[in-house]
């Protein structure tokens, strides 16, 4: 299974759609770029001292969930990674390996690509928070929320958005064939 996963990841990383999808993890850095101009585009607002780094990551994750372009790219990647091999007859070469194992390795590779996307989004959110947001009056200058209930709420929101968006990506992508 590991060799199938490795081959599937190698194939997916050879596709430009993967890099286009991962480029959307740069979304939090746009806040820094937008702050250089006098515009109301992508302006954050919150009560004074209420936005910590995790809450900012939650806001970025939710904003990315509402974007359509990452959805289109990951659906295209999921559809082409399975459909192209079936169409070209490559998938039938694996006579000693069941098709279910091959398809499962492809789905797992998409999950790992999505996990990388979320991880990169987190890194870029932390960078944006400590470079730009921390100077704003609504920043609390802390990494975690000050109350346990806010922390639990933020973590559940992040988990829910990540799981919902991944299930949408995979379901739509794998059934679009």
């Amino acid at each position: 299974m590991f060799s199938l996963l490795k081959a599937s990841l190698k194939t997916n990383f050879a596709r430009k759609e993967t890099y286009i999808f991962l480029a959307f993890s740069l979304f939090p850095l746009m806040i820094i770029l937008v702050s250089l101009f006098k515009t109301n585009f992508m302006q954050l607002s919150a009560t004074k001292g209420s936005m910590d780094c995790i809450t900012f990551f939650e806001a970025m994750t939710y904003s990315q969930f509402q974007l359509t372009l990452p959805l289109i790219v990951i659906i295209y990647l999921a559809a082409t990674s399975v459909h192209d091999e079936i169409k070209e007859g490559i998938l039938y070469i694996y006579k000693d390996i069941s098709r279910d194992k091959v398809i499962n390795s492809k789905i797992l590779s998409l999950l790992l690509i999505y996990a990388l996307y979320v991880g990169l989004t987190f890194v870029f959110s932390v960078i944006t928070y400590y470079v730009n947001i921390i100077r704003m009056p609504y920043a609390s200058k802390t990494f975690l929320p000050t109350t346990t209930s806010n922390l639990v709420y933020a973590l559940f929101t992040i988990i829910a958005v990540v799981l919902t968006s991944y299930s949408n990506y995979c379901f739509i992508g794998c059934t679009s064939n």
Side-chain angles (χ1 to χ4, degrees), residues 1-10 12-13 18 21-22 74 77 104-121 162 166 169-170:
M1 178 70 178
F2 182 71
S3 61
L4 282 175
L5 177 61
K6 188 177 175 181
S8 183
L9 278 171
K10 185 177 179 182
N12 280 338
F13 275 104
T18 303
F21 177 67
L22 292 175
I74 195 71
L77 178 63
N104 287 340
S105 71
K106 292 189 175 302
I107 291 172
L108 186 58
S109 74
L110 289 172
L111 176 66
L112 291 175
I113 289 170
Y114 187 73
L116 179 62
Y117 169 76
V118 172
L120 288 172
T121 300
V162 166
Y166 178 74
Y169 296 159
C170 280

PDB file of all heavy atoms in Angstrom, residues 1-10 12-13 18 21-22 74 77 104-121 162 166 169-170:
ATOM      1  N   MET A   1       0.828  -1.196   0.000  1.00  0.00           N
ATOM      2  CA  MET A   1       0.000   0.000   0.000  1.00  0.00           C
ATOM      3  C   MET A   1       0.868   1.254   0.000  1.00  0.00           C
ATOM      4  O   MET A   1       0.532   2.230  -0.640  1.00  0.00           O
ATOM      5  CB  MET A   1      -0.931  -0.051   1.220  1.00  0.00           C
ATOM      6  CG  MET A   1      -1.808   1.143   1.381  1.00  0.00           C
ATOM      7  SD  MET A   1      -3.062   1.210   0.099  1.00  0.00           S
ATOM      8  CE  MET A   1      -3.949   2.630   0.581  1.00  0.00           C
ATOM      9  N   PHE A   2       2.003   1.203   0.760  1.00  0.00           N
ATOM     10  CA  PHE A   2       2.858   2.378   0.829  1.00  0.00           C
ATOM     11  C   PHE A   2       3.476   2.699  -0.527  1.00  0.00           C
ATOM     12  O   PHE A   2       3.607   3.868  -0.890  1.00  0.00           O
ATOM     13  CB  PHE A   2       3.949   2.191   1.895  1.00  0.00           C
ATOM     14  CG  PHE A   2       4.834   3.379   2.053  1.00  0.00           C
ATOM     15  CD1 PHE A   2       4.354   4.540   2.639  1.00  0.00           C
ATOM     16  CD2 PHE A   2       6.136   3.361   1.590  1.00  0.00           C
ATOM     17  CE1 PHE A   2       5.160   5.648   2.774  1.00  0.00           C
ATOM     18  CE2 PHE A   2       6.952   4.464   1.716  1.00  0.00           C
ATOM     19  CZ  PHE A   2       6.466   5.607   2.317  1.00  0.00           C
ATOM     20  N   SER A   3       3.852   1.665  -1.282  1.00  0.00           N
ATOM     21  CA  SER A   3       4.437   1.913  -2.598  1.00  0.00           C
ATOM     22  C   SER A   3       3.403   2.493  -3.562  1.00  0.00           C
ATOM     23  O   SER A   3       3.730   3.342  -4.389  1.00  0.00           O
ATOM     24  CB  SER A   3       5.041   0.635  -3.173  1.00  0.00           C
ATOM     25  OG  SER A   3       4.047  -0.346  -3.326  1.00  0.00           O
ATOM     26  N   LEU A   4       2.149   2.051  -3.426  1.00  0.00           N
ATOM     27  CA  LEU A   4       1.074   2.632  -4.246  1.00  0.00           C
ATOM     28  C   LEU A   4       0.839   4.093  -3.874  1.00  0.00           C
ATOM     29  O   LEU A   4       0.642   4.944  -4.748  1.00  0.00           O
ATOM     30  CB  LEU A   4      -0.225   1.853  -4.059  1.00  0.00           C
ATOM     31  CG  LEU A   4      -0.354   0.533  -4.795  1.00  0.00           C
ATOM     32  CD1 LEU A   4      -1.641  -0.170  -4.396  1.00  0.00           C
ATOM     33  CD2 LEU A   4      -0.313   0.748  -6.286  1.00  0.00           C
ATOM     34  N   LEU A   5       0.851   4.373  -2.576  1.00  0.00           N
ATOM     35  CA  LEU A   5       0.664   5.749  -2.117  1.00  0.00           C
ATOM     36  C   LEU A   5       1.800   6.636  -2.606  1.00  0.00           C
ATOM     37  O   LEU A   5       1.566   7.761  -3.061  1.00  0.00           O
ATOM     38  CB  LEU A   5       0.567   5.789  -0.591  1.00  0.00           C
ATOM     39  CG  LEU A   5       0.443   7.161   0.041  1.00  0.00           C
ATOM     40  CD1 LEU A   5      -0.828   7.854  -0.432  1.00  0.00           C
ATOM     41  CD2 LEU A   5       0.467   7.047   1.551  1.00  0.00           C
ATOM     42  N   LYS A   6       3.018   6.134  -2.515  1.00  0.00           N
ATOM     43  CA  LYS A   6       4.172   6.893  -2.975  1.00  0.00           C
ATOM     44  C   LYS A   6       4.066   7.195  -4.472  1.00  0.00           C
ATOM     45  O   LYS A   6       4.318   8.320  -4.909  1.00  0.00           O
ATOM     46  CB  LYS A   6       5.449   6.111  -2.669  1.00  0.00           C
ATOM     47  CG  LYS A   6       6.716   6.854  -2.924  1.00  0.00           C
ATOM     48  CD  LYS A   6       7.913   6.010  -2.507  1.00  0.00           C
ATOM     49  CE  LYS A   6       9.202   6.704  -2.876  1.00  0.00           C
ATOM     50  NZ  LYS A   6      10.380   5.910  -2.522  1.00  0.00           N
ATOM     51  N   ALA A   7       3.676   6.194  -5.251  1.00  0.00           N
ATOM     52  CA  ALA A   7       3.514   6.391  -6.695  1.00  0.00           C
ATOM     53  C   ALA A   7       2.382   7.369  -6.995  1.00  0.00           C
ATOM     54  O   ALA A   7       2.504   8.215  -7.888  1.00  0.00           O
ATOM     55  CB  ALA A   7       3.241   5.056  -7.371  1.00  0.00           C
ATOM     56  N   SER A   8       1.300   7.270  -6.239  1.00  0.00           N
ATOM     57  CA  SER A   8       0.171   8.171  -6.447  1.00  0.00           C
ATOM     58  C   SER A   8       0.539   9.612  -6.094  1.00  0.00           C
ATOM     59  O   SER A   8       0.165  10.549  -6.804  1.00  0.00           O
ATOM     60  CB  SER A   8      -1.017   7.694  -5.616  1.00  0.00           C
ATOM     61  OG  SER A   8      -2.132   8.504  -5.849  1.00  0.00           O
ATOM     62  N   LEU A   9       1.280   9.785  -4.995  1.00  0.00           N
ATOM     63  CA  LEU A   9       1.737  11.128  -4.621  1.00  0.00           C
ATOM     64  C   LEU A   9       2.685  11.690  -5.680  1.00  0.00           C
ATOM     65  O   LEU A   9       2.596  12.875  -6.029  1.00  0.00           O
ATOM     66  CB  LEU A   9       2.428  11.097  -3.261  1.00  0.00           C
ATOM     67  CG  LEU A   9       1.529  11.136  -2.047  1.00  0.00           C
ATOM     68  CD1 LEU A   9       2.323  10.880  -0.779  1.00  0.00           C
ATOM     69  CD2 LEU A   9       0.796  12.456  -1.956  1.00  0.00           C
ATOM     70  N   LYS A  10       3.572  10.850  -6.182  1.00  0.00           N
ATOM     71  CA  LYS A  10       4.505  11.293  -7.217  1.00  0.00           C
ATOM     72  C   LYS A  10       3.743  11.738  -8.465  1.00  0.00           C
ATOM     73  O   LYS A  10       4.056  12.765  -9.060  1.00  0.00           O
ATOM     74  CB  LYS A  10       5.480  10.163  -7.549  1.00  0.00           C
ATOM     75  CG  LYS A  10       6.560  10.556  -8.509  1.00  0.00           C
ATOM     76  CD  LYS A  10       7.533   9.414  -8.739  1.00  0.00           C
ATOM     77  CE  LYS A  10       8.591   9.817  -9.735  1.00  0.00           C
ATOM     78  NZ  LYS A  10       9.524   8.735 -10.013  1.00  0.00           N
ATOM     79  N   ASN A  12       0.565  12.775  -8.566  1.00  0.00           N
ATOM     80  CA  ASN A  12      -0.188  13.992  -8.278  1.00  0.00           C
ATOM     81  C   ASN A  12       0.714  15.215  -8.196  1.00  0.00           C
ATOM     82  O   ASN A  12       0.315  16.310  -8.600  1.00  0.00           O
ATOM     83  CB  ASN A  12      -0.996  13.835  -7.000  1.00  0.00           C
ATOM     84  CG  ASN A  12      -2.272  13.068  -7.221  1.00  0.00           C
ATOM     85  OD1 ASN A  12      -2.775  12.983  -8.330  1.00  0.00           O
ATOM     86  ND2 ASN A  12      -2.808  12.491  -6.167  1.00  0.00           N
ATOM     87  N   PHE A  13       1.938  15.049  -7.664  1.00  0.00           N
ATOM     88  CA  PHE A  13       2.838  16.194  -7.598  1.00  0.00           C
ATOM     89  C   PHE A  13       3.467  16.519  -8.949  1.00  0.00           C
ATOM     90  O   PHE A  13       4.081  17.564  -9.105  1.00  0.00           O
ATOM     91  CB  PHE A  13       3.907  15.996  -6.521  1.00  0.00           C
ATOM     92  CG  PHE A  13       3.438  16.418  -5.165  1.00  0.00           C
ATOM     93  CD1 PHE A  13       3.087  15.471  -4.219  1.00  0.00           C
ATOM     94  CD2 PHE A  13       3.319  17.750  -4.833  1.00  0.00           C
ATOM     95  CE1 PHE A  13       2.632  15.857  -2.965  1.00  0.00           C
ATOM     96  CE2 PHE A  13       2.869  18.153  -3.591  1.00  0.00           C
ATOM     97  CZ  PHE A  13       2.520  17.195  -2.658  1.00  0.00           C
ATOM     98  N   THR A  18      -1.934  20.422  -8.738  1.00  0.00           N
ATOM     99  CA  THR A  18      -1.549  20.298  -7.333  1.00  0.00           C
ATOM    100  C   THR A  18      -0.900  21.588  -6.851  1.00  0.00           C
ATOM    101  O   THR A  18      -1.220  22.094  -5.769  1.00  0.00           O
ATOM    102  CB  THR A  18      -0.583  19.111  -7.141  1.00  0.00           C
ATOM    103  OG1 THR A  18      -1.210  17.932  -7.618  1.00  0.00           O
ATOM    104  CG2 THR A  18      -0.203  18.942  -5.693  1.00  0.00           C
ATOM    105  N   PHE A  21      -3.424  24.370  -6.600  1.00  0.00           N
ATOM    106  CA  PHE A  21      -4.215  24.205  -5.382  1.00  0.00           C
ATOM    107  C   PHE A  21      -3.419  24.644  -4.154  1.00  0.00           C
ATOM    108  O   PHE A  21      -3.933  25.369  -3.300  1.00  0.00           O
ATOM    109  CB  PHE A  21      -4.664  22.749  -5.235  1.00  0.00           C
ATOM    110  CG  PHE A  21      -5.413  22.477  -3.974  1.00  0.00           C
ATOM    111  CD1 PHE A  21      -6.661  23.038  -3.757  1.00  0.00           C
ATOM    112  CD2 PHE A  21      -4.875  21.670  -2.990  1.00  0.00           C
ATOM    113  CE1 PHE A  21      -7.364  22.797  -2.583  1.00  0.00           C
ATOM    114  CE2 PHE A  21      -5.567  21.426  -1.816  1.00  0.00           C
ATOM    115  CZ  PHE A  21      -6.813  21.989  -1.617  1.00  0.00           C
ATOM    116  N   LEU A  22      -2.167  24.236  -4.058  1.00  0.00           N
ATOM    117  CA  LEU A  22      -1.343  24.612  -2.908  1.00  0.00           C
ATOM    118  C   LEU A  22      -1.057  26.114  -2.880  1.00  0.00           C
ATOM    119  O   LEU A  22      -0.833  26.682  -1.808  1.00  0.00           O
ATOM    120  CB  LEU A  22      -0.040  23.818  -2.897  1.00  0.00           C
ATOM    121  CG  LEU A  22      -0.184  22.315  -2.625  1.00  0.00           C
ATOM    122  CD1 LEU A  22       1.158  21.616  -2.755  1.00  0.00           C
ATOM    123  CD2 LEU A  22      -0.812  22.055  -1.269  1.00  0.00           C
ATOM    124  N   ILE A  74      -9.181  21.376  -6.852  1.00  0.00           N
ATOM    125  CA  ILE A  74      -9.037  20.070  -6.205  1.00  0.00           C
ATOM    126  C   ILE A  74     -10.010  19.056  -6.804  1.00  0.00           C
ATOM    127  O   ILE A  74      -9.689  17.869  -6.908  1.00  0.00           O
ATOM    128  CB  ILE A  74      -9.171  20.162  -4.673  1.00  0.00           C
ATOM    129  CG1 ILE A  74      -8.658  18.878  -3.987  1.00  0.00           C
ATOM    130  CG2 ILE A  74     -10.577  20.435  -4.241  1.00  0.00           C
ATOM    131  CD1 ILE A  74      -7.204  18.672  -4.002  1.00  0.00           C
ATOM    132  N   LEU A  77      -8.350  17.987  -9.931  1.00  0.00           N
ATOM    133  CA  LEU A  77      -7.239  17.095  -9.604  1.00  0.00           C
ATOM    134  C   LEU A  77      -7.744  15.703  -9.235  1.00  0.00           C
ATOM    135  O   LEU A  77      -7.200  14.696  -9.694  1.00  0.00           O
ATOM    136  CB  LEU A  77      -6.408  17.676  -8.460  1.00  0.00           C
ATOM    137  CG  LEU A  77      -5.237  16.834  -7.974  1.00  0.00           C
ATOM    138  CD1 LEU A  77      -4.207  16.658  -9.081  1.00  0.00           C
ATOM    139  CD2 LEU A  77      -4.600  17.478  -6.762  1.00  0.00           C
ATOM    140  N   ASN A 104      -7.982   3.662  -3.466  1.00  0.00           N
ATOM    141  CA  ASN A 104      -7.793   4.121  -2.082  1.00  0.00           C
ATOM    142  C   ASN A 104      -6.466   4.848  -1.910  1.00  0.00           C
ATOM    143  O   ASN A 104      -6.388   5.830  -1.176  1.00  0.00           O
ATOM    144  CB  ASN A 104      -7.901   2.950  -1.110  1.00  0.00           C
ATOM    145  CG  ASN A 104      -9.318   2.475  -0.949  1.00  0.00           C
ATOM    146  OD1 ASN A 104     -10.272   3.194  -1.236  1.00  0.00           O
ATOM    147  ND2 ASN A 104      -9.472   1.233  -0.498  1.00  0.00           N
ATOM    148  N   SER A 105      -5.427   4.400  -2.591  1.00  0.00           N
ATOM    149  CA  SER A 105      -4.148   5.107  -2.499  1.00  0.00           C
ATOM    150  C   SER A 105      -4.246   6.487  -3.143  1.00  0.00           C
ATOM    151  O   SER A 105      -3.637   7.440  -2.669  1.00  0.00           O
ATOM    152  CB  SER A 105      -3.026   4.291  -3.134  1.00  0.00           C
ATOM    153  OG  SER A 105      -3.147   4.256  -4.532  1.00  0.00           O
ATOM    154  N   LYS A 106      -5.025   6.596  -4.204  1.00  0.00           N
ATOM    155  CA  LYS A 106      -5.213   7.900  -4.843  1.00  0.00           C
ATOM    156  C   LYS A 106      -6.000   8.846  -3.930  1.00  0.00           C
ATOM    157  O   LYS A 106      -5.668  10.020  -3.802  1.00  0.00           O
ATOM    158  CB  LYS A 106      -5.906   7.744  -6.186  1.00  0.00           C
ATOM    159  CG  LYS A 106      -5.019   7.048  -7.191  1.00  0.00           C
ATOM    160  CD  LYS A 106      -5.597   7.088  -8.554  1.00  0.00           C
ATOM    161  CE  LYS A 106      -4.634   6.487  -9.543  1.00  0.00           C
ATOM    162  NZ  LYS A 106      -3.341   7.142  -9.569  1.00  0.00           N
ATOM    163  N   ILE A 107      -7.026   8.319  -3.271  1.00  0.00           N
ATOM    164  CA  ILE A 107      -7.804   9.141  -2.347  1.00  0.00           C
ATOM    165  C   ILE A 107      -6.942   9.548  -1.158  1.00  0.00           C
ATOM    166  O   ILE A 107      -6.995  10.695  -0.712  1.00  0.00           O
ATOM    167  CB  ILE A 107      -9.086   8.399  -1.913  1.00  0.00           C
ATOM    168  CG1 ILE A 107     -10.040   8.288  -3.102  1.00  0.00           C
ATOM    169  CG2 ILE A 107      -9.763   9.099  -0.751  1.00  0.00           C
ATOM    170  CD1 ILE A 107     -11.255   7.426  -2.865  1.00  0.00           C
ATOM    171  N   LEU A 108      -6.125   8.632  -0.658  1.00  0.00           N
ATOM    172  CA  LEU A 108      -5.233   8.958   0.453  1.00  0.00           C
ATOM    173  C   LEU A 108      -4.196   9.999   0.039  1.00  0.00           C
ATOM    174  O   LEU A 108      -3.861  10.893   0.821  1.00  0.00           O
ATOM    175  CB  LEU A 108      -4.553   7.696   0.973  1.00  0.00           C
ATOM    176  CG  LEU A 108      -3.711   7.857   2.228  1.00  0.00           C
ATOM    177  CD1 LEU A 108      -4.541   8.417   3.382  1.00  0.00           C
ATOM    178  CD2 LEU A 108      -3.103   6.519   2.621  1.00  0.00           C
ATOM    179  N   SER A 109      -3.725   9.922  -1.198  1.00  0.00           N
ATOM    180  CA  SER A 109      -2.770  10.934  -1.659  1.00  0.00           C
ATOM    181  C   SER A 109      -3.442  12.305  -1.755  1.00  0.00           C
ATOM    182  O   SER A 109      -2.819  13.322  -1.436  1.00  0.00           O
ATOM    183  CB  SER A 109      -2.147  10.537  -2.989  1.00  0.00           C
ATOM    184  OG  SER A 109      -3.041  10.681  -4.052  1.00  0.00           O
ATOM    185  N   LEU A 110      -4.706  12.328  -2.157  1.00  0.00           N
ATOM    186  CA  LEU A 110      -5.445  13.607  -2.166  1.00  0.00           C
ATOM    187  C   LEU A 110      -5.633  14.135  -0.750  1.00  0.00           C
ATOM    188  O   LEU A 110      -5.553  15.346  -0.511  1.00  0.00           O
ATOM    189  CB  LEU A 110      -6.797  13.437  -2.855  1.00  0.00           C
ATOM    190  CG  LEU A 110      -6.762  13.242  -4.360  1.00  0.00           C
ATOM    191  CD1 LEU A 110      -8.144  12.887  -4.884  1.00  0.00           C
ATOM    192  CD2 LEU A 110      -6.230  14.473  -5.044  1.00  0.00           C
ATOM    193  N   LEU A 111      -5.870  13.227   0.187  1.00  0.00           N
ATOM    194  CA  LEU A 111      -5.992  13.628   1.592  1.00  0.00           C
ATOM    195  C   LEU A 111      -4.683  14.226   2.090  1.00  0.00           C
ATOM    196  O   LEU A 111      -4.685  15.244   2.797  1.00  0.00           O
ATOM    197  CB  LEU A 111      -6.404  12.434   2.447  1.00  0.00           C
ATOM    198  CG  LEU A 111      -6.492  12.672   3.947  1.00  0.00           C
ATOM    199  CD1 LEU A 111      -7.608  13.655   4.264  1.00  0.00           C
ATOM    200  CD2 LEU A 111      -6.714  11.375   4.690  1.00  0.00           C
ATOM    201  N   LEU A 112      -3.560  13.632   1.729  1.00  0.00           N
ATOM    202  CA  LEU A 112      -2.268  14.165   2.146  1.00  0.00           C
ATOM    203  C   LEU A 112      -1.981  15.516   1.492  1.00  0.00           C
ATOM    204  O   LEU A 112      -1.417  16.408   2.134  1.00  0.00           O
ATOM    205  CB  LEU A 112      -1.163  13.161   1.835  1.00  0.00           C
ATOM    206  CG  LEU A 112      -1.186  11.893   2.680  1.00  0.00           C
ATOM    207  CD1 LEU A 112      -0.125  10.913   2.203  1.00  0.00           C
ATOM    208  CD2 LEU A 112      -1.009  12.210   4.146  1.00  0.00           C
ATOM    209  N   ILE A 113      -2.379  15.676   0.248  1.00  0.00           N
ATOM    210  CA  ILE A 113      -2.216  16.979  -0.412  1.00  0.00           C
ATOM    211  C   ILE A 113      -3.079  18.022   0.278  1.00  0.00           C
ATOM    212  O   ILE A 113      -2.650  19.157   0.507  1.00  0.00           O
ATOM    213  CB  ILE A 113      -2.538  16.869  -1.913  1.00  0.00           C
ATOM    214  CG1 ILE A 113      -1.443  16.073  -2.622  1.00  0.00           C
ATOM    215  CG2 ILE A 113      -2.705  18.246  -2.561  1.00  0.00           C
ATOM    216  CD1 ILE A 113      -1.767  15.699  -4.045  1.00  0.00           C
ATOM    217  N   TYR A 114      -4.289  17.632   0.647  1.00  0.00           N
ATOM    218  CA  TYR A 114      -5.160  18.569   1.358  1.00  0.00           C
ATOM    219  C   TYR A 114      -4.600  18.894   2.749  1.00  0.00           C
ATOM    220  O   TYR A 114      -4.672  20.039   3.197  1.00  0.00           O
ATOM    221  CB  TYR A 114      -6.587  18.022   1.461  1.00  0.00           C
ATOM    222  CG  TYR A 114      -7.535  19.033   2.028  1.00  0.00           C
ATOM    223  CD1 TYR A 114      -7.936  20.122   1.267  1.00  0.00           C
ATOM    224  CD2 TYR A 114      -7.997  18.939   3.327  1.00  0.00           C
ATOM    225  CE1 TYR A 114      -8.782  21.085   1.787  1.00  0.00           C
ATOM    226  CE2 TYR A 114      -8.850  19.886   3.851  1.00  0.00           C
ATOM    227  CZ  TYR A 114      -9.237  20.954   3.083  1.00  0.00           C
ATOM    228  OH  TYR A 114     -10.065  21.904   3.605  1.00  0.00           O
ATOM    229  N   ALA A 115      -4.029  17.901   3.422  1.00  0.00           N
ATOM    230  CA  ALA A 115      -3.400  18.141   4.730  1.00  0.00           C
ATOM    231  C   ALA A 115      -2.218  19.105   4.588  1.00  0.00           C
ATOM    232  O   ALA A 115      -2.024  19.990   5.430  1.00  0.00           O
ATOM    233  CB  ALA A 115      -2.954  16.827   5.356  1.00  0.00           C
ATOM    234  N   LEU A 116      -1.458  18.960   3.516  1.00  0.00           N
ATOM    235  CA  LEU A 116      -0.368  19.894   3.242  1.00  0.00           C
ATOM    236  C   LEU A 116      -0.910  21.298   3.007  1.00  0.00           C
ATOM    237  O   LEU A 116      -0.347  22.285   3.495  1.00  0.00           O
ATOM    238  CB  LEU A 116       0.446  19.414   2.039  1.00  0.00           C
ATOM    239  CG  LEU A 116       1.608  20.294   1.598  1.00  0.00           C
ATOM    240  CD1 LEU A 116       2.652  20.414   2.700  1.00  0.00           C
ATOM    241  CD2 LEU A 116       2.225  19.736   0.324  1.00  0.00           C
ATOM    242  N   TYR A 117      -2.009  21.389   2.299  1.00  0.00           N
ATOM    243  CA  TYR A 117      -2.675  22.674   2.042  1.00  0.00           C
ATOM    244  C   TYR A 117      -3.089  23.346   3.359  1.00  0.00           C
ATOM    245  O   TYR A 117      -2.836  24.532   3.569  1.00  0.00           O
ATOM    246  CB  TYR A 117      -3.877  22.421   1.142  1.00  0.00           C
ATOM    247  CG  TYR A 117      -4.844  23.563   0.975  1.00  0.00           C
ATOM    248  CD1 TYR A 117      -4.540  24.645   0.171  1.00  0.00           C
ATOM    249  CD2 TYR A 117      -6.082  23.547   1.605  1.00  0.00           C
ATOM    250  CE1 TYR A 117      -5.437  25.687  -0.006  1.00  0.00           C
ATOM    251  CE2 TYR A 117      -6.986  24.574   1.435  1.00  0.00           C
ATOM    252  CZ  TYR A 117      -6.660  25.644   0.636  1.00  0.00           C
ATOM    253  OH  TYR A 117      -7.543  26.667   0.472  1.00  0.00           O
ATOM    254  N   VAL A 118      -3.699  22.582   4.253  1.00  0.00           N
ATOM    255  CA  VAL A 118      -4.121  23.132   5.545  1.00  0.00           C
ATOM    256  C   VAL A 118      -2.894  23.524   6.371  1.00  0.00           C
ATOM    257  O   VAL A 118      -2.879  24.583   7.004  1.00  0.00           O
ATOM    258  CB  VAL A 118      -5.020  22.133   6.304  1.00  0.00           C
ATOM    259  CG1 VAL A 118      -5.298  22.604   7.719  1.00  0.00           C
ATOM    260  CG2 VAL A 118      -6.322  21.915   5.551  1.00  0.00           C
ATOM    261  N   GLY A 119      -1.858  22.684   6.341  1.00  0.00           N
ATOM    262  CA  GLY A 119      -0.632  22.997   7.070  1.00  0.00           C
ATOM    263  C   GLY A 119       0.035  24.268   6.566  1.00  0.00           C
ATOM    264  O   GLY A 119       0.477  25.113   7.360  1.00  0.00           O
ATOM    265  N   LEU A 120       0.111  24.414   5.255  1.00  0.00           N
ATOM    266  CA  LEU A 120       0.684  25.640   4.681  1.00  0.00           C
ATOM    267  C   LEU A 120      -0.171  26.860   4.998  1.00  0.00           C
ATOM    268  O   LEU A 120       0.358  27.940   5.279  1.00  0.00           O
ATOM    269  CB  LEU A 120       0.853  25.485   3.166  1.00  0.00           C
ATOM    270  CG  LEU A 120       1.962  24.553   2.706  1.00  0.00           C
ATOM    271  CD1 LEU A 120       1.895  24.346   1.190  1.00  0.00           C
ATOM    272  CD2 LEU A 120       3.319  25.087   3.104  1.00  0.00           C
ATOM    273  N   THR A 121      -1.480  26.692   4.969  1.00  0.00           N
ATOM    274  CA  THR A 121      -2.368  27.789   5.342  1.00  0.00           C
ATOM    275  C   THR A 121      -2.116  28.216   6.789  1.00  0.00           C
ATOM    276  O   THR A 121      -2.084  29.406   7.104  1.00  0.00           O
ATOM    277  CB  THR A 121      -3.845  27.397   5.150  1.00  0.00           C
ATOM    278  OG1 THR A 121      -4.060  27.077   3.774  1.00  0.00           O
ATOM    279  CG2 THR A 121      -4.783  28.521   5.546  1.00  0.00           C
ATOM    280  N   VAL A 162     -12.485  22.094   7.811  1.00  0.00           N
ATOM    281  CA  VAL A 162     -11.515  21.263   7.091  1.00  0.00           C
ATOM    282  C   VAL A 162     -12.156  19.951   6.652  1.00  0.00           C
ATOM    283  O   VAL A 162     -12.034  19.546   5.497  1.00  0.00           O
ATOM    284  CB  VAL A 162     -10.265  21.016   7.962  1.00  0.00           C
ATOM    285  CG1 VAL A 162      -9.404  19.903   7.396  1.00  0.00           C
ATOM    286  CG2 VAL A 162      -9.453  22.291   8.096  1.00  0.00           C
ATOM    287  N   TYR A 166     -12.945  19.005   2.759  1.00  0.00           N
ATOM    288  CA  TYR A 166     -12.294  17.835   2.165  1.00  0.00           C
ATOM    289  C   TYR A 166     -13.322  16.827   1.670  1.00  0.00           C
ATOM    290  O   TYR A 166     -13.168  16.275   0.586  1.00  0.00           O
ATOM    291  CB  TYR A 166     -11.336  17.155   3.149  1.00  0.00           C
ATOM    292  CG  TYR A 166     -10.710  15.935   2.534  1.00  0.00           C
ATOM    293  CD1 TYR A 166      -9.728  16.070   1.568  1.00  0.00           C
ATOM    294  CD2 TYR A 166     -11.147  14.659   2.859  1.00  0.00           C
ATOM    295  CE1 TYR A 166      -9.170  14.963   0.951  1.00  0.00           C
ATOM    296  CE2 TYR A 166     -10.601  13.548   2.247  1.00  0.00           C
ATOM    297  CZ  TYR A 166      -9.608  13.698   1.306  1.00  0.00           C
ATOM    298  OH  TYR A 166      -9.083  12.598   0.695  1.00  0.00           O
ATOM    299  N   TYR A 169     -14.688  18.096  -1.550  1.00  0.00           N
ATOM    300  CA  TYR A 169     -13.719  17.977  -2.619  1.00  0.00           C
ATOM    301  C   TYR A 169     -13.678  16.541  -3.135  1.00  0.00           C
ATOM    302  O   TYR A 169     -13.756  16.284  -4.326  1.00  0.00           O
ATOM    303  CB  TYR A 169     -12.320  18.373  -2.163  1.00  0.00           C
ATOM    304  CG  TYR A 169     -12.151  19.811  -1.760  1.00  0.00           C
ATOM    305  CD1 TYR A 169     -11.104  20.187  -0.943  1.00  0.00           C
ATOM    306  CD2 TYR A 169     -13.031  20.796  -2.177  1.00  0.00           C
ATOM    307  CE1 TYR A 169     -10.927  21.508  -0.564  1.00  0.00           C
ATOM    308  CE2 TYR A 169     -12.856  22.106  -1.804  1.00  0.00           C
ATOM    309  CZ  TYR A 169     -11.793  22.460  -1.007  1.00  0.00           C
ATOM    310  OH  TYR A 169     -11.637  23.746  -0.636  1.00  0.00           O
ATOM    311  N   CYS A 170     -13.535  15.615  -2.202  1.00  0.00           N
ATOM    312  CA  CYS A 170     -13.403  14.199  -2.614  1.00  0.00           C
ATOM    313  C   CYS A 170     -14.705  13.649  -3.178  1.00  0.00           C
ATOM    314  O   CYS A 170     -14.683  12.959  -4.185  1.00  0.00           O
ATOM    315  CB  CYS A 170     -12.945  13.353  -1.449  1.00  0.00           C
ATOM    316  SG  CYS A 170     -11.187  13.521  -1.221  1.00  0.00           S
TER     317      CYS A 170
END
